[in-house]
């Protein structure tokens, strides 16, 4: 414990406020809303620079909620809390998804619970990484 009362342990507790991003603008009323398939296709274009598999097939996307007005809320995780691109990844995802016609405001947030495990990866991702 230091002089200010902070204790130092072995667990890493990230500041989640650093791991969010918002992109896009509200859709006009009556505009056609993007499909889940279009949103997923955009997320499949985003890669962790250290892993040659897209974030969707890695199982890093936990929720992908598309509202009736085209706003998209995404929760995702990373392979590890200390990932060097943790601060950049939400912006990369928000930017990719906000480029899809029919999306409004895109909010991306990294969560640490449940913890990501390799079991969340698609069969294609496991094959690409030589795990099967």
């Amino acid at each position: 414990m230091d002089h200010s009362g902070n204790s130092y342990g072995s667990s890493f507790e990230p500041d989640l406020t650093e791991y969010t991003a918002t992109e896009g603008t509200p859709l006009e009323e009556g505009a056609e809303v993007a499909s889940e398939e279009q949103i997923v296709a955009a997320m499949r274009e985003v890669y962790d620079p250290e892993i040659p598999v897209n974030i969707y097939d890695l199982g890093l996307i936990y929720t992908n909620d598309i509202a009736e007005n085209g706003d998209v809320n995404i929760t995702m995780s990373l392979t590890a809390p200390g990932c060097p691109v943790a601060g950049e990844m939400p912006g990369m995802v928000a930017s990719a998804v906000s480029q899809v016609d029919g999306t409004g405001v895109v909010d991306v947030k990294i969560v640490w619970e449940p913890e990501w495990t390799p079991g969340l990866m698609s069969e294609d991702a496991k094959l690409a990484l030589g795990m099967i």
Side-chain angles (χ1 to χ4, degrees), residues 20-24 90-91 94-95 98 105-108:
T20 63
T22 301
E23 293 266 342
S95 178
S98 69
V105 176
V106 179
D107 286 312
V108 179

mmCIF file with all atom_site columns, all heavy atoms in Angstrom, residues 20-24 90-91 94-95 98 105-108:
data_model
loop_
_atom_site.group_PDB
_atom_site.id
_atom_site.type_symbol
_atom_site.label_atom_id
_atom_site.label_alt_id
_atom_site.label_comp_id
_atom_site.label_asym_id
_atom_site.label_entity_id
_atom_site.label_seq_id
_atom_site.pdbx_PDB_ins_code
_atom_site.Cartn_x
_atom_site.Cartn_y
_atom_site.Cartn_z
_atom_site.occupancy
_atom_site.B_iso_or_equiv
_atom_site.pdbx_formal_charge
_atom_site.auth_seq_id
_atom_site.auth_comp_id
_atom_site.auth_asym_id
_atom_site.auth_atom_id
_atom_site.pdbx_PDB_model_num
ATOM 1  N N   . THR A 1 20  ? -14.104 2.940  -24.699 1.00 0.00 ? 20  THR A N   1
ATOM 2  C CA  . THR A 1 20  ? -15.390 3.136  -25.352 1.00 0.00 ? 20  THR A CA  1
ATOM 3  C C   . THR A 1 20  ? -15.184 4.049  -26.552 1.00 0.00 ? 20  THR A C   1
ATOM 4  O O   . THR A 1 20  ? -14.191 4.774  -26.628 1.00 0.00 ? 20  THR A O   1
ATOM 5  C CB  . THR A 1 20  ? -16.431 3.785  -24.406 1.00 0.00 ? 20  THR A CB  1
ATOM 6  O OG1 . THR A 1 20  ? -15.970 5.075  -24.031 1.00 0.00 ? 20  THR A OG1 1
ATOM 7  C CG2 . THR A 1 20  ? -16.684 2.938  -23.171 1.00 0.00 ? 20  THR A CG2 1
ATOM 8  N N   . ALA A 1 21  ? -16.120 3.981  -27.489 1.00 0.00 ? 21  ALA A N   1
ATOM 9  C CA  . ALA A 1 21  ? -16.058 4.875  -28.645 1.00 0.00 ? 21  ALA A CA  1
ATOM 10 C C   . ALA A 1 21  ? -17.459 5.069  -29.194 1.00 0.00 ? 21  ALA A C   1
ATOM 11 O O   . ALA A 1 21  ? -18.302 4.177  -29.116 1.00 0.00 ? 21  ALA A O   1
ATOM 12 C CB  . ALA A 1 21  ? -15.153 4.300  -29.727 1.00 0.00 ? 21  ALA A CB  1
ATOM 13 N N   . THR A 1 22  ? -17.698 6.245  -29.751 1.00 0.00 ? 22  THR A N   1
ATOM 14 C CA  . THR A 1 22  ? -18.972 6.563  -30.386 1.00 0.00 ? 22  THR A CA  1
ATOM 15 C C   . THR A 1 22  ? -18.678 7.209  -31.731 1.00 0.00 ? 22  THR A C   1
ATOM 16 O O   . THR A 1 22  ? -17.822 8.086  -31.829 1.00 0.00 ? 22  THR A O   1
ATOM 17 C CB  . THR A 1 22  ? -19.791 7.531  -29.505 1.00 0.00 ? 22  THR A CB  1
ATOM 18 O OG1 . THR A 1 22  ? -20.020 6.906  -28.238 1.00 0.00 ? 22  THR A OG1 1
ATOM 19 C CG2 . THR A 1 22  ? -21.127 7.857  -30.151 1.00 0.00 ? 22  THR A CG2 1
ATOM 20 N N   . GLU A 1 23  ? -19.379 6.750  -32.759 1.00 0.00 ? 23  GLU A N   1
ATOM 21 C CA  . GLU A 1 23  ? -19.233 7.289  -34.115 1.00 0.00 ? 23  GLU A CA  1
ATOM 22 C C   . GLU A 1 23  ? -20.618 7.416  -34.729 1.00 0.00 ? 23  GLU A C   1
ATOM 23 O O   . GLU A 1 23  ? -21.564 6.777  -34.287 1.00 0.00 ? 23  GLU A O   1
ATOM 24 C CB  . GLU A 1 23  ? -18.408 6.343  -34.999 1.00 0.00 ? 23  GLU A CB  1
ATOM 25 C CG  . GLU A 1 23  ? -16.967 6.216  -34.610 1.00 0.00 ? 23  GLU A CG  1
ATOM 26 C CD  . GLU A 1 23  ? -16.053 7.156  -35.354 1.00 0.00 ? 23  GLU A CD  1
ATOM 27 O OE1 . GLU A 1 23  ? -16.448 7.685  -36.413 1.00 0.00 ? 23  GLU A OE1 1
ATOM 28 O OE2 . GLU A 1 23  ? -14.941 7.357  -34.876 1.00 0.00 ? 23  GLU A OE2 1
ATOM 29 N N   . GLY A 1 24  ? -20.712 8.186  -35.783 1.00 0.00 ? 24  GLY A N   1
ATOM 30 C CA  . GLY A 1 24  ? -21.941 8.276  -36.562 1.00 0.00 ? 24  GLY A CA  1
ATOM 31 C C   . GLY A 1 24  ? -22.869 9.380  -36.117 1.00 0.00 ? 24  GLY A C   1
ATOM 32 O O   . GLY A 1 24  ? -22.610 10.092 -35.142 1.00 0.00 ? 24  GLY A O   1
ATOM 33 N N   . PRO A 1 90  ? -12.082 -0.068 -29.702 1.00 0.00 ? 90  PRO A N   1
ATOM 34 C CA  . PRO A 1 90  ? -13.466 0.398  -29.821 1.00 0.00 ? 90  PRO A CA  1
ATOM 35 C C   . PRO A 1 90  ? -13.651 1.416  -30.949 1.00 0.00 ? 90  PRO A C   1
ATOM 36 O O   . PRO A 1 90  ? -14.641 1.366  -31.674 1.00 0.00 ? 90  PRO A O   1
ATOM 37 C CB  . PRO A 1 90  ? -13.761 1.034  -28.458 1.00 0.00 ? 90  PRO A CB  1
ATOM 38 C CG  . PRO A 1 90  ? -12.812 0.370  -27.528 1.00 0.00 ? 90  PRO A CG  1
ATOM 39 C CD  . PRO A 1 90  ? -11.577 0.120  -28.340 1.00 0.00 ? 90  PRO A CD  1
ATOM 40 N N   . GLY A 1 91  ? -12.686 2.294  -31.135 1.00 0.00 ? 91  GLY A N   1
ATOM 41 C CA  . GLY A 1 91  ? -12.768 3.274  -32.216 1.00 0.00 ? 91  GLY A CA  1
ATOM 42 C C   . GLY A 1 91  ? -12.686 2.625  -33.579 1.00 0.00 ? 91  GLY A C   1
ATOM 43 O O   . GLY A 1 91  ? -13.369 3.037  -34.520 1.00 0.00 ? 91  GLY A O   1
ATOM 44 N N   . ALA A 1 94  ? -16.151 0.999  -34.060 1.00 0.00 ? 94  ALA A N   1
ATOM 45 C CA  . ALA A 1 94  ? -17.179 2.028  -34.277 1.00 0.00 ? 94  ALA A CA  1
ATOM 46 C C   . ALA A 1 94  ? -17.035 2.654  -35.656 1.00 0.00 ? 94  ALA A C   1
ATOM 47 O O   . ALA A 1 94  ? -18.031 2.893  -36.348 1.00 0.00 ? 94  ALA A O   1
ATOM 48 C CB  . ALA A 1 94  ? -17.098 3.097  -33.186 1.00 0.00 ? 94  ALA A CB  1
ATOM 49 N N   . SER A 1 95  ? -15.812 2.911  -36.073 1.00 0.00 ? 95  SER A N   1
ATOM 50 C CA  . SER A 1 95  ? -15.574 3.504  -37.380 1.00 0.00 ? 95  SER A CA  1
ATOM 51 C C   . SER A 1 95  ? -16.034 2.571  -38.497 1.00 0.00 ? 95  SER A C   1
ATOM 52 O O   . SER A 1 95  ? -16.707 2.997  -39.439 1.00 0.00 ? 95  SER A O   1
ATOM 53 C CB  . SER A 1 95  ? -14.094 3.836  -37.542 1.00 0.00 ? 95  SER A CB  1
ATOM 54 O OG  . SER A 1 95  ? -13.850 4.366  -38.818 1.00 0.00 ? 95  SER A OG  1
ATOM 55 N N   . SER A 1 98  ? -19.930 2.299  -38.445 1.00 0.00 ? 98  SER A N   1
ATOM 56 C CA  . SER A 1 98  ? -20.612 3.546  -38.797 1.00 0.00 ? 98  SER A CA  1
ATOM 57 C C   . SER A 1 98  ? -20.560 3.824  -40.304 1.00 0.00 ? 98  SER A C   1
ATOM 58 O O   . SER A 1 98  ? -21.335 4.638  -40.801 1.00 0.00 ? 98  SER A O   1
ATOM 59 C CB  . SER A 1 98  ? -20.038 4.730  -38.018 1.00 0.00 ? 98  SER A CB  1
ATOM 60 O OG  . SER A 1 98  ? -18.726 5.031  -38.447 1.00 0.00 ? 98  SER A OG  1
ATOM 61 N N   . VAL A 1 105 ? -26.067 6.229  -34.712 1.00 0.00 ? 105 VAL A N   1
ATOM 62 C CA  . VAL A 1 105 ? -24.982 6.378  -33.750 1.00 0.00 ? 105 VAL A CA  1
ATOM 63 C C   . VAL A 1 105 ? -24.521 4.987  -33.330 1.00 0.00 ? 105 VAL A C   1
ATOM 64 O O   . VAL A 1 105 ? -25.330 4.134  -32.952 1.00 0.00 ? 105 VAL A O   1
ATOM 65 C CB  . VAL A 1 105 ? -25.446 7.199  -32.530 1.00 0.00 ? 105 VAL A CB  1
ATOM 66 C CG1 . VAL A 1 105 ? -24.345 7.279  -31.486 1.00 0.00 ? 105 VAL A CG1 1
ATOM 67 C CG2 . VAL A 1 105 ? -25.883 8.589  -32.967 1.00 0.00 ? 105 VAL A CG2 1
ATOM 68 N N   . VAL A 1 106 ? -23.220 4.759  -33.403 1.00 0.00 ? 106 VAL A N   1
ATOM 69 C CA  . VAL A 1 106 ? -22.632 3.471  -33.054 1.00 0.00 ? 106 VAL A CA  1
ATOM 70 C C   . VAL A 1 106 ? -21.835 3.643  -31.768 1.00 0.00 ? 106 VAL A C   1
ATOM 71 O O   . VAL A 1 106 ? -20.899 4.444  -31.716 1.00 0.00 ? 106 VAL A O   1
ATOM 72 C CB  . VAL A 1 106 ? -21.716 2.946  -34.181 1.00 0.00 ? 106 VAL A CB  1
ATOM 73 C CG1 . VAL A 1 106 ? -21.083 1.618  -33.782 1.00 0.00 ? 106 VAL A CG1 1
ATOM 74 C CG2 . VAL A 1 106 ? -22.491 2.826  -35.490 1.00 0.00 ? 106 VAL A CG2 1
ATOM 75 N N   . ASP A 1 107 ? -22.233 2.919  -30.731 1.00 0.00 ? 107 ASP A N   1
ATOM 76 C CA  . ASP A 1 107 ? -21.517 2.935  -29.452 1.00 0.00 ? 107 ASP A CA  1
ATOM 77 C C   . ASP A 1 107 ? -20.851 1.581  -29.255 1.00 0.00 ? 107 ASP A C   1
ATOM 78 O O   . ASP A 1 107 ? -21.498 0.542  -29.382 1.00 0.00 ? 107 ASP A O   1
ATOM 79 C CB  . ASP A 1 107 ? -22.476 3.173  -28.284 1.00 0.00 ? 107 ASP A CB  1
ATOM 80 C CG  . ASP A 1 107 ? -22.951 4.603  -28.211 1.00 0.00 ? 107 ASP A CG  1
ATOM 81 O OD1 . ASP A 1 107 ? -22.107 5.513  -28.290 1.00 0.00 ? 107 ASP A OD1 1
ATOM 82 O OD2 . ASP A 1 107 ? -24.170 4.800  -28.078 1.00 0.00 ? 107 ASP A OD2 1
ATOM 83 N N   . VAL A 1 108 ? -19.566 1.610  -28.941 1.00 0.00 ? 108 VAL A N   1
ATOM 84 C CA  . VAL A 1 108 ? -18.805 0.382  -28.699 1.00 0.00 ? 108 VAL A CA  1
ATOM 85 C C   . VAL A 1 108 ? -18.184 0.487  -27.310 1.00 0.00 ? 108 VAL A C   1
ATOM 86 O O   . VAL A 1 108 ? -17.579 1.502  -26.975 1.00 0.00 ? 108 VAL A O   1
ATOM 87 C CB  . VAL A 1 108 ? -17.700 0.168  -29.752 1.00 0.00 ? 108 VAL A CB  1
ATOM 88 C CG1 . VAL A 1 108 ? -16.912 -1.109 -29.462 1.00 0.00 ? 108 VAL A CG1 1
ATOM 89 C CG2 . VAL A 1 108 ? -18.298 0.134  -31.154 1.00 0.00 ? 108 VAL A CG2 1
#
